[in-house]
Amino acid sequence: MLTETDPAVLARVNMHAVLGALTVLAERAPEAAPLLARVDRPTVLRLRVPGVPAHSLRFCEDGVEAGERGGERVVTLMLRSPAHLNAMVDGDAQPFPVAGLGGLRFLTQVFAPLADLLGRYLKPSEADLEDPAFRGISALLTLHVAIAAVAQVANEDRSGRLSASLIPDGQIGVEVGEDIDLRLHARASTLTFDATPASSPARAVLAFRDLDVAGDVLAGRASALSCIGDGSMAMRGFIPMIDNVSRILDRVGCYLGD
Amino acid sequence: MTTTATTPFTYAKSLEAFDRARRVIPAGIPGHQGPTEGCYIPRDAFPLFSSRAEGTRFWDLDGNEYLDYMCGYGPNVLGYGDPVVDEAARRQAALEDVVTIPSTVMVDLAELLVDTVASADWAFFAKNGGDTTTLAVMTARAATMRKKVVFVKGYYHGVAPWTQKLDYPGVLEEDIAHNLSVPWNDLGALEALLREHRGEVAAFISTPYMHGNFVDNELPAPGYWEGVRRLCDEHGVVLIMDDVRAGWRLDLAGSDHHYGIEADLLCFCKAIGNGYNLAALTGRESLRETVASLTYTGSYWMSAVPFAASIATITRLKELDAPAMFRSLGTELTSGLVEAASGHGLTLVASGEPALFYLRLADDDSLMLHQRWVAECVRRGVWFTSHHNHFLNAALTRGDIRRTIEIADEAFGIVAAG
């Protein structure tokens, strides 16, 4: 158990898992569509942080995706350090934007309100959670953030790398109810998160009964052990894969917990 | 094979009791006997609480009867409620148990261990296997004035912080800072590691063979243990054999004796008292004064009843030549299971020593098929666990083995049908 966290790992988690969840927000949250409608032309947001590989998100009217296709308007957010990026995601610091007028308009009218909306879903109020539809989307986004963060922590964090080194090659399924089946791919002790629909059987599965259970466990409102005990969570398949992913999830909590 | 189809068990009373447990006990049943450790998959195929046990069987709260191949995770070596052992315990209980100063029955047991265990010149008593592995490592460090300990990858030596890993909650990096590891059966790696850390390694600790979970168990390669002994001697390293799991089932003189060497320290628990709570570290003369110098004790470590039970247990194991019996019964059982699987087009791998056999259906690498088969066995009265070596006890009969194979055959049929 490491008692400290690494700002560079948190920066990757924030880039790929937290901001990466904008893609799901755009698909699922009804409030996202009017914000995306303000995108006047496809725009790429590049995040540049010293010591951390650059990452891009592509925004258009139809949604958000990771990466670039080419030919888009480019807006670059320059950050001084991983800690600067982390402070930006927490709302405690501003980046240095490199953009034209249209790009600046994109930042204020599209990106910032989308990021605020994401924050509302990821840190919901009690009142928001009373709405079943909001609660479901919140849990789904939390799930995506957590599983994407597992891949970052598995590959970059010292404790995470130890856990990942004990995971054999294969796919780890994270199932929620009958409909959601997210995959972590393990290969040579490296994990990647694959949000596309699963195309082959997982070698090990961690299953949540429903999104409420997933949301409660991943947000720390319920204990995973208790849920396995009462049957609202289950595991099957090559259990060391689940055991080590669980240890990485615990470590993710150190990065994303309050 | 023709079998009578059985009706799968249900567990309503176990579930009720588990709900009670969850309210007052963290995780309901914490640890390896609970539903969270990966031994019981899927959870709803297994009961959670037992109500009574006798011989080679136990019954759950709903009255379902099981032929038990876990033996309480090892302690049940003669049969639950063995009359000879229980009578010895009753006689001692009528005299005294936990008293201000110990009973000489402790000395009687120490003498029996020194006479029985080939490498033992003395015995030190505690309660759990982890007490003895911790004592062994402390002894090695005190004797050598060195810090590092070499483990075998995939090891399990209890749950004390020094036995855990960096990614375990509650374990500090400092707790495991001096842990090194080598692959099982790899003398070259051990030699290289000892050379790299010359003068720094206090102990090499290992089970007598690799009985890890989720993988086929591996016996020592020819010459392996002799090679380990030689390297430990060359480098002044204390050789600790953790015989907590395999002890008293392979060889009453110790598993180190079984594999042709003498360990410096030998850790016993589980089968030593047929369920009466006791553990023992035995060792060679050269380490006697070191152990004596350590501050290491516990409130119940000198209770007399388990000593009396242990004397009766070891005596009975000798009378039965239990290791030979276990080898024979285990071979018969595992051969029958492998053959039954084959009859359904399935490949069951039985590994490890027959007395502590490990099973794996090798037809898919996710082990989901294996988990389904084990679950179908349990629902029909044969208690295997999804992923752990199993244990035999001396109350097991050939009739029990036949019944086990019948039920296993039915379960193979169910999983083979998809």
Side-chain angles (χ1 to χ4, degrees):
Chain A
M1 177 187 77
L2 297 177
T3 53
E4 71 285 353
T5 54
D6 179 346
V9 176
L10 179 56
R12 288 172 186 258
V13 167
N14 277 326
M15 275 174 136
H16 295 273
V18 178
L19 294 177
L22 286 169
T23 58
V24 185
L25 182 86
E27 286 171 17
R28 303 293 181 127
E31 304 93 328
L35 298 174
L36 286 169
R38 298 174 187 168
V39 180
D40 56 353
R41 54 180 276 211
T43 303
V44 159
L45 181 76
R46 286 184 188 152
L47 295 162
R48 293 204 179 277
V49 185
V52 177
H55 184 58
S56 300
L57 288 166
R58 181 180 187 275
F59 296 75
C60 66
E61 270 184 284
D62 300 331
V64 183
E65 63 188 30
E68 304 180 15
R69 293 188 188 182
E72 301 95 342
R73 170 199 290 139
V74 175
V75 176
T76 302
L77 297 184
M78 307 291 289
L79 290 309
R80 279 193 311 272
S81 64
H84 187 197
L85 172 79
N86 300 333
M88 179 196 83
V89 171
D90 285 344
D92 296 332
Q94 295 297 321
F96 307 113
V98 179
L101 273 181
L104 291 173
R105 212 166 31 246
F106 164 81
L107 284 175
T108 55
Q109 294 186 8
V110 179
F111 178 68
L114 274 177
D116 289 345
L117 180 64
L118 180 65
R120 192 179 145 213
Y121 274 103
L122 292 179
K123 292 187 177 171
S125 66
E126 291 293 324
D128 281 339
L129 285 174
E130 284 175 15
D131 173 3
F134 186 98
R135 195 169 62 235
I137 297 167
S138 171
L140 181 67
L141 284 164
T142 304
L143 183 69
H144 271 262
V145 169
I147 305 307
V150 162
Q152 297 302 318
V153 170
N155 301 337
E156 303 300 333
D157 175 72
R158 196 151 60 91
S159 174
R161 282 199 304 269
L162 172 72
S163 306
S165 73
L166 301 172
I167 298 177
D169 290 358
Q171 294 187 24
I172 301 145
V174 180
E175 296 179 354
V176 183
E178 299 290 318
D179 302 325
I180 298 173
D181 182 0
L182 302 179
R183 292 298 172 89
L184 284 161
H185 295 251
R187 188 169 176 77
S189 300
T190 299
L191 296 189
T192 50
F193 171 50
D194 182 1
T196 59
S199 57
S200 57
R203 193 173 174 195
V205 172
L206 181 64
F208 298 89
R209 185 182 58 208
D210 53 38
L211 270 175
D212 281 346
V213 173
D216 286 347
V217 169
L218 295 171
R221 296 186 292 270
S223 143
L225 286 187
S226 291
C227 290
I228 288 174
D230 71 17
S232 56
M233 278 176 69
M235 50 187 175
R236 65 180 189 274
F238 198 76
I239 300 304
M241 299 175 94
I242 300 296
D243 182 40
N244 284 293
V245 165
S246 298
R247 294 187 191 286
I248 300 168
L249 259 176
D250 285 346
R251 187 71 179 142
V252 165
C254 297
Y255 283 100
L256 291 178
D258 290 328
Chain B
M1 177 177 291
T2 306
T3 59
T4 308
T6 50
T7 305
F9 296 164
T10 56
Y11 310 119
K13 289 181 181 170
S14 259
L15 294 173
E16 265 176 47
F18 191 67
D19 282 342
R20 282 177 51 213
R22 285 174 52 224
R23 285 193 283 274
V24 290
I25 301 170
I29 307 172
H32 64 289
Q33 291 183 307
T36 59
E37 295 275 315
C39 283
Y40 307 136
I41 298 173
R43 171 198 173 284
D44 62 6
F46 294 79
L48 294 152
F49 289 97
S50 60
S51 61
R52 70 186 180 92
E54 184 183 333
T56 198
R57 288 169 165 75
F58 75 85
W59 287 259
D60 70 17
L61 283 191
D62 292 273
N64 303 309
E65 176 184 327
Y66 303 89
L67 269 164
D68 178 19
Y69 289 99
M70 284 309 290
C71 298
Y73 282 80
N76 174 29
V77 68
L78 287 171
Y80 291 117
D82 179 83
V84 175
V85 176
D86 284 1
E87 177 55 27
R90 263 193 301 274
R91 276 201 309 272
Q92 181 58 47
L95 293 172
E96 62 173 350
D97 188 15
V98 179
V99 179
T100 307
I101 56 176
S103 161
T104 54
V105 70
M106 175 174 75
V107 185
D108 297 339
L109 176 58
E111 287 172 345
L112 178 60
L113 290 179
V114 167
D115 287 345
T116 305
V117 176
S119 61
D121 292 316
W122 48 262
F124 185 112
F125 298 108
K127 282 298 167 197
N128 282 294
D131 297 335
T132 66
T133 55
T134 296
L135 175 61
V137 166
M138 288 174 67
T139 301
R141 285 176 167 154
T144 60
M145 295 299 285
R146 298 172 181 175
K147 294 180 180 178
K148 296 196 183 298
V149 175
V150 178
F151 298 75
V152 172
K153 285 180 180 167
Y155 64 86
Y156 177 83
H157 298 298
V159 291
W162 67 269
T163 67
Q164 301 200 32
K165 299 189 179 72
L166 180 68
D167 54 351
Y168 283 43
V171 175
L172 299 179
E173 197 167 14
E174 292 84 347
D175 291 326
I176 52 165
H178 301 292
N179 293 3
L180 304 169
S181 64
V182 290
W184 169 250
N185 259 344
D186 192 338
L187 280 176
L190 178 61
E191 185 165 16
L193 194 70
L194 293 178
R195 210 178 286 139
E196 181 186 348
H197 294 278
R198 188 179 292 279
E200 297 176 339
V201 175
F204 172 80
I205 183 168
S206 171
T207 51
Y209 69 94
M210 178 38 74
H211 42 54
N213 298 333
F214 305 100
V215 290
D216 294 343
N217 289 188
E218 283 185 72
L219 300 180
Y224 172 72
W225 273 115
E226 291 85 345
V228 171
R229 180 70 269 177
R230 175 180 52 77
L231 287 170
C232 286
D233 289 343
E234 280 175 19
H235 289 267
V237 169
V238 175
L239 199 170
I240 302 168
M241 187 173 283
D242 176 350
D243 213 7
V244 169
R245 207 182 292 196
W248 311 106
R249 281 188 165 86
L250 300 189
D251 187 330
L252 300 181
S255 297
D256 55 343
H257 181 262
H258 183 69
Y259 289 123
I261 62 154
E262 283 200 353
D264 297 313
L265 295 169
L266 201 50
C267 307
F268 290 114
C269 187
K270 292 196 182 290
I272 194 171
N274 202 48
Y276 287 87
N277 185 194
L278 182 68
L281 181 73
T282 64
R284 298 172 86 169
E285 186 59 37
S286 58
L287 293 167
R288 177 196 300 266
E289 292 309 312
T290 307
V291 175
S293 74
L294 301 179
T295 302
Y296 203 66
T297 187
S299 296
Y300 291 87
W301 287 13
M302 292 188 187
S303 62
V305 167
F307 292 141
S310 179
I311 291 169
T313 300
I314 293 168
T315 304
R316 188 77 185 120
L317 289 170
K318 285 183 179 179
E319 289 167 1
L320 294 169
D321 190 5
M325 173 195 279
F326 294 145
R327 204 167 302 122
S328 165
L329 290 172
T331 302
E332 184 176 333
L333 173 67
T334 52
S335 302
L337 292 172
V338 168
E339 189 182 331
S342 174
H344 294 277
L346 298 169
T347 305
L348 182 73
V349 176
S351 59
E353 293 281 4
L356 301 100
F357 61 93
Y358 184 87
L359 300 175
R360 177 178 66 91
L361 263 178
D363 299 280
D364 80 315
D365 74 349
S366 75
L367 303 177
M368 290 184 199
L369 198 67
H370 179 78
Q371 288 158 5
R372 283 182 55 213
W373 171 67
V374 168
E376 296 298 343
C377 288
V378 171
R379 286 190 180 111
R380 287 162 175 78
V382 169
W383 189 277
F384 293 139
T385 54
S386 311
H387 308 289
H388 196 285
N389 75 272
H390 295 83
F391 297 91
L392 295 183
N393 67 81
L396 186 72
T397 66
R398 295 210 139 74
D400 294 331
I401 291 177
R402 279 195 297 278
R403 181 61 186 147
T404 300
I405 294 171
E406 280 178 6
I407 290 173
D409 183 72
E410 184 183 353
F412 284 130
I414 292 166
V415 300

